[in-house]
Amino acid sequence: MDKPSELEILAGEPPAREAVTAVISHNVRQGRERDFQRWQDKVRKAQEKFPGFLGFEAFEPVPGVQEHWVVMFRYDTREHLDDWLESGTRRKLLDEGRHYFADFDVRTVKSAFSGWFRFNGEAAREPPPNWKQAMSVLLGLYPTVMILNLTVGRAFEAVRLPGYLAMFISNGLSVSILTWLMMPLVNRTFTSWLSPSGGGSVFTNIAGALVMVACMALCIAVFGLITS
């Protein structure tokens, strides 16, 4: 079933350049796996001819972990990705592929952290560049982890909680604090830098980055004094 595109966050290395990724999971018909692979190779060759194509990856099911066949492909812009998704070439290939899969699900991924960047209560239509996102997440993550280590972490040590369980709880707390407290605060504070009108000037980008670095340095200094 070709569902409306959704925003997803994937763990892993970000692409070397700005890109939009589509993740498609297929429910392949039993006994048609090899036919599906040959069809998927045909799809890949067709995609490569479209403007903005950056890469393609395919993943077979992993018993007990992932039941579906998954493919990921990247384009340099959302417009180029949509050109492929809405093309007559793809529609013809889908008609052919329905002999090999029962249904499929399409999701799009803008960036590794874009779900954490919301302005005026809404997710940004075009998320900030990856380097701005990385700096912002680091600014929110560092004090979060340090505070948890100095409070909850010491409490876990006192009651001798197993390390694997303490790590799981700490990670859950970190993600929750980032999602509902720290990242909204960072977004409000740096809105004009993260999501500037007109893309922002070089001066604005550099000045905002320097302020970010200054905030990080201040956090390091504060926690250095506390822990010493």
Side-chain angles (χ1 to χ4, degrees):
M1 181 170 55
D2 195 351
K3 299 179 181 179
S5 296
E6 301 177 19
L7 180 68
E8 293 226 347
I9 299 175
L10 298 184
E13 292 295 325
R17 54 182 294 188
E18 293 295 320
V20 183
T21 302
V23 181
I24 305 182
S25 59
H26 299 81
N27 182 11
V28 177
R29 300 182 188 278
Q30 189 172 4
R32 305 306 299 270
E33 291 84 0
R34 301 285 77 81
D35 293 329
F36 173 80
Q37 286 182 306
R38 286 191 288 269
W39 171 80
Q40 193 64 73
D41 187 58
K42 185 176 180 180
V43 172
R44 176 184 58 78
K45 292 178 180 178
Q47 285 179 286
E48 291 175 347
K49 299 177 181 178
F50 275 67
F53 179 79
L54 296 178
F56 176 97
E57 294 178 89
F59 304 90
E60 296 187 13
V62 179
V65 178
Q66 174 184 290
E67 299 180 357
H68 297 91
W69 293 69
V70 177
V71 297
M72 297 173 57
F73 49 86
R74 296 188 298 276
Y75 282 83
D76 58 352
T77 66
R78 181 57 189 257
E79 290 71 23
H80 282 151
L81 173 62
D82 288 341
D83 287 344
W84 162 251
L85 293 176
E86 299 169 5
S87 67
T89 301
R90 179 171 179 266
R91 283 196 294 272
K92 291 179 181 178
L93 287 167
L94 286 177
D95 289 340
E96 177 185 339
R98 293 187 188 281
H99 297 292
Y100 316 129
F101 60 81
D103 55 60
F104 64 95
D105 177 43
V106 181
R107 300 174 187 269
T108 59
V109 184
K110 287 187 175 181
S111 70
F113 304 117
S114 56
W116 269 331
F117 292 88
R118 306 179 69 86
F119 304 101
N120 298 321
E122 298 181 357
R125 180 176 178 81
E126 290 298 330
N130 283 342
W131 67 274
K132 287 187 178 182
Q133 294 186 42
M135 291 185 73
S136 301
V137 173
L138 179 58
L139 180 59
L141 181 62
Y142 176 69
T144 299
V145 173
M146 285 300 300
I147 291 172
L148 288 175
N149 283 342
L150 294 171
T151 55
V152 178
R154 291 181 178 178
F156 289 161
E157 290 180 1
V159 299
R160 297 184 178 180
L161 192 70
Y164 63 88
L165 184 56
M167 179 66 72
F168 176 80
I169 296 174
S170 295
N171 286 346
L173 290 172
S174 296
V175 171
S176 299
I177 293 171
L178 274 176
T179 301
W180 288 291
L181 177 61
M182 296 302 293
M183 290 313 300
L185 177 61
V186 172
N187 287 341
R188 287 195 299 270
T189 304
F190 292 94
T191 296
S192 60
W193 179 68
L194 289 168
S195 185
S197 57
S201 64
V202 173
F203 174 80
T204 300
N205 287 331
I206 294 175
L210 291 175
V211 173
M212 274 276 182
V213 171
C215 291
M216 293 177 193
L218 178 60
C219 288
I220 293 171
V222 169
F223 286 111
L225 289 173
I226 292 174
T227 54
S228 62

